[in-house]
């Protein structure tokens, strides 16, 4: 057997291809559910601290400098063109600031050090918090 | 010295080399590639190549030992968050060990690498969703799974090449059985 043949035989066997395919298929199905499902109507930015719902803000609203204070620190929220951003934060890793904007239902920005989660939800989902 | 004792020493020496490789590659990736921002913090995890080797060649015990070595290095050198990597790593090593002992020689380095990467990322995402009680955190899981297949293939390939370089055979140290 040539070298490439040995490599394939020991590196990627049938079961390996099966596992890779299973994971790719689940990624594909999850992507369709999370990323491409249609939505309509008013969307809201929902703020959660320590897993508890705090408030919802319609995405149409324009907010340039909305401070969210928690016992862990402060994040500055911005809503512009129906997109939600964390503009500034005094947290350790700045992952919330670096994660960019969110605008589709079920998307989220997380600031783990501040136990803060911002999600996008539709009117029906926001209604359930009341 | 009996033959068994000698084999045991050989295993420990080679496992120690794998341990050093885990630390070196973890630090290299952290300091050289740390600036690259991936989807929601998904990393390549090059060090996992040597954990894969340890599991295949020496058994799950060595896989867990090498993982805790990596965790300790992370705490000392990078002061990174602990909870998610701890959950992810334990489930990942357990999943790789399980799949290796279930399928034995029917599975290669590719499948074990991908299984480890996927198990790690799924666990970290679920742990984050539970601890922040927000299912919305799972939004980027499809991208994380895609990257798991890519990065798992890379670590699997490194594991395979290292096994050639170190002249390691499958099954327990000493017994010179080919895979
Ligand atoms: Zn943050």
């Amino acid at each position: 057997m040539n070298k490439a043949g040995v490599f394939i035989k020991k590196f990627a066997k049938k079961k390996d291809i099966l596992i890779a395919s299973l994971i790719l298929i689940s990624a594909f199905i999850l992507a369709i559910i999370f990323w491409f499902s249609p939505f309509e109507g008013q969307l809201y930015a929902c703020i959660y601290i320590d897993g508890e719902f705090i408030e919802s803000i319609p995405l149409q609203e324009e907010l340039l400098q909305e401070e969210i204070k928690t016992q862990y620190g402060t994040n500055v929220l911005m809503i512009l063109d129906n997109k939600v951003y964390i503009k500034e934060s005094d947290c350790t890793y700045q992952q919330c600031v670096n994660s960019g904007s969110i605008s589709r239902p079920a998307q989220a920005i997380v600031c783990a050090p501040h136990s803060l989660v911002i999600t996008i939800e539709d009117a029906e989902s926001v209604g359930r918090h009341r | 010295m009996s033959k068994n004792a000698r084999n045991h020493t050989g295993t420990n020496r080679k496992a120690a080399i794998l341990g050093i490789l885990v630390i070196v590659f973890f630090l290299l990736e952290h300091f050289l590639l740390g600036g690259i921002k991936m989807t929601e913090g998904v990393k390549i995890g090059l060090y996992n190549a040597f954990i894969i080797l340890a599991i295949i060649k020496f058994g799950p015990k060595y896989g867990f030992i090498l993982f805790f070595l990596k965790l300790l290095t992370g705490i000392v050198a990078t002061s990174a968050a602990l909870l998610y990597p701890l959950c992810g790593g334990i489930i990942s090593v357990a999943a790789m060990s399980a799949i290796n002992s279930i399928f034995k020689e029917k599975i290669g380095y590719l499948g074990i690498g991908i299984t480890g990467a996927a198990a790690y990322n799924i666990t970290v995402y679920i742990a984050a969703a539970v601890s922040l009680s927000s299912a919305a955190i799972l939004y980027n899981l499809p991208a994380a799974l895609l990257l798991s297949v890519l990065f798992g293939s890379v670590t699997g390939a490194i594991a395979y090449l290292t096994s050639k370089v170190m002249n390691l055979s499958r099954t327990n140290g000493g017994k010179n059985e080919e895979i």
Side-chain angles (χ1 to χ4, degrees):
Chain A
M1 207 188 307
N2 60 21
K3 269 193 173 170
V6 173
F7 180 78
I8 302 265
K9 191 170 161 247
K10 286 182 181 170
F11 178 67
K13 306 172 185 190
K14 270 185 202 159
K15 288 272 191 290
D16 300 66
I17 306 297
L18 180 75
I19 288 172
S21 314
L22 281 178
I23 293 173
L24 286 176
I25 290 167
S26 7
F28 186 69
I29 294 171
L30 287 176
I32 289 175
I33 297 171
F34 290 165
W35 298 350
F36 301 113
S37 53
F39 62 91
E40 54 184 43
Q42 174 81 60
L43 291 179
Y44 298 83
C46 293
I47 300 165
Y48 297 81
I49 295 167
D50 286 327
E52 249 174 80
F53 176 78
I54 305 296
E55 65 166 318
S56 60
I57 308 165
L59 284 200
Q60 278 94 330
E61 235 165 81
E62 200 166 274
L63 287 176
L64 295 180
Q65 191 82 19
E66 176 81 357
E67 286 199 356
I68 304 169
K69 286 202 167 75
T70 67
Q71 54 172 314
Y72 315 102
T74 305
N75 298 64
V76 178
L77 181 84
M78 176 169 79
I79 305 182
L80 195 62
D81 294 330
N82 292 295
K83 290 190 175 78
V84 182
Y85 306 78
I86 297 281
K87 211 167 128 188
E88 289 160 37
S89 169
D90 53 7
C91 64
T92 334
Y93 303 110
Q94 298 284 306
Q95 209 191 332
C96 51
V97 179
N98 292 328
S99 52
S101 72
I102 54 172
S103 56
R104 279 188 60 90
Q107 264 186 302
I109 298 179
V110 178
C111 184
H114 292 175
S115 196
L116 170 77
V117 178
I118 317 272
T119 62
I120 307 284
E121 295 175 26
D122 59 16
E124 192 197 331
S125 162
V126 169
R128 268 181 254 133
H129 298 306
R130 301 231 164 84
Chain B
M1 206 195 302
S2 77
K3 194 162 178 259
N4 266 341
R6 200 161 55 235
N7 288 342
H8 195 67
T9 315
T11 300
N12 281 342
R13 205 189 66 236
K14 286 187 170 174
I17 294 173
L18 290 180
I20 292 165
L21 287 169
V22 164
I23 295 174
V24 168
F25 274 74
F26 172 73
L27 292 175
L28 274 180
E29 181 180 330
H30 181 80
F31 291 111
L32 294 183
L33 307 177
I36 302 172
K37 286 189 186 77
M38 295 286 182
T39 305
E40 295 303 297
V42 174
K43 296 185 192 110
I44 305 179
L46 292 172
Y47 64 86
N48 197 45
F50 311 108
I51 295 182
I52 293 169
L53 262 185
I55 291 171
I56 295 179
K57 307 299 183 186
F58 309 126
K61 190 179 96 184
Y62 287 90
F64 281 108
I65 292 172
L66 290 199
F67 164 67
F68 281 107
L69 203 60
K70 173 256 158 185
L71 206 65
L72 274 177
T73 313
I75 295 169
V76 173
T78 71
S79 69
L82 182 67
L83 181 66
Y84 301 158
L86 177 68
C87 300
I90 288 175
I91 301 289
S92 170
V93 174
M96 291 189 290
S97 304
I99 211 154
N100 182 49
S101 55
I102 291 168
F103 293 127
K104 295 193 174 71
E105 61 285 336
K106 284 201 180 98
I107 194 154
Y109 292 89
L110 181 69
I112 296 176
I114 293 175
T115 301
Y120 186 94
N121 287 318
I122 292 170
T123 308
V124 167
Y125 267 77
I126 291 176
V130 169
S131 77
L132 294 162
S133 26
S134 171
I137 286 163
L138 303 176
Y139 189 86
N140 280 322
L141 185 58
L145 286 177
L146 215 68
L147 288 174
S148 299
V149 173
L150 186 71
F151 294 161
S153 310
V154 173
T155 52
I158 296 174
Y160 174 77
L161 294 173
T162 310
S163 79
K164 295 284 122 186
V165 173
M166 285 178 72
N167 199 17
L168 290 168
S169 57
R170 203 155 182 150
T171 70
N172 284 327
K175 286 185 221 160
N176 246 345
E177 248 173 69
E178 259 303 308
I179 304 170

